Amino acid sequence: VYLGGTGAANKLDDYEEGDFSLTLYGLTTAGTNSGGSIGGRYTKVGRLVTCSIVVANTTLSGAVGALRMSGLPFVSNNYGNRPAIGVIRMYKQDLDSPSSGYFGPTVELLHNTNELQFAQTLDNGTWSTVQVDNQSGLYYEGTITYQTNQ
């Protein structure tokens, strides 16, 4: 299929969609996740990948450190070696209090990986990595779009 002309640059020759599985873990100690459902759906057009992430009613136990997820379908290749940023909402996750100047978390896909981490923004300060919250009934839902070389 050619979009907007018949030149090589206008040829759409790479379209893909599917499902993927995720693993929820702690960076220092992975721990285990169980129950519920963990995964998502993706659409890839050329080098651009959009993923919808769903972690529903899952238990995380024995994990320590920064909260991470791995298993996105393609490795990222973002501009300037910076992470791709997406949107996320969380349920039953302990976060830094908004009264201390932190705002809601974002999801970021680390450059040259298929791993997500979560960060909060501090008013007039630095980012804070969201730490593991070992408990049951965790929900994370979001979307991220990024570039890949695959």
Side-chain angles (χ1 to χ4, degrees):
V1 174
Y2 289 88
L3 302 174
T6 57
N10 298 89
K11 185 177 180 183
L12 174 59
D13 61 353
D14 185 9
Y15 177 87
E16 181 179 335
E17 59 184 36
D19 298 329
F20 59 93
S21 297
L22 288 168
T23 301
L24 186 64
Y25 69 98
L27 184 59
T28 304
T29 303
T32 58
N33 45 203
S34 59
S37 58
I38 304 175
R41 297 194 58 85
Y42 74 91
T43 301
K44 179 177 178 281
V45 179
R47 295 186 315 127
L48 192 64
V49 182
T50 299
C51 295
S52 296
I53 301 155
V54 176
V55 175
N57 199 26
T58 297
T59 299
L60 182 60
S61 58
V64 177
L67 179 63
R68 293 275 181 99
M69 280 186 209
S70 66
L72 267 67
F74 300 95
V75 171
S76 68
N77 182 27
N78 300 313
Y79 178 77
N81 298 334
R82 300 295 300 160
I85 307 300
V87 295
I88 193 82
R89 68 181 185 167
M90 300 177 165
Y91 177 76
K92 292 192 80 176
Q93 170 69 44
D94 189 24
L95 298 170
D96 289 318
S97 170
S99 63
S100 64
Y102 284 96
F103 294 94
T106 59
V107 62
E108 49 189 29
L109 175 57
L110 302 173
H111 177 69
N112 207 29
T113 73
N114 69 345
E115 295 188 14
L116 299 169
Q117 74 176 10
F118 306 89
Q120 287 182 272
T121 302
L122 177 62
D123 184 26
N124 198 30
T126 61
W127 295 297
S128 172
T129 304
V130 174
Q131 299 298 298
V132 164
D133 192 7
N134 290 297
Q135 63 173 305
S136 61
L138 294 168
Y139 285 79
Y140 307 94
E141 299 171 339
T143 302
I144 190 163
T145 299
Y146 63 99
Q147 290 196 3
T148 185
N149 280 336
Q150 297 177 304

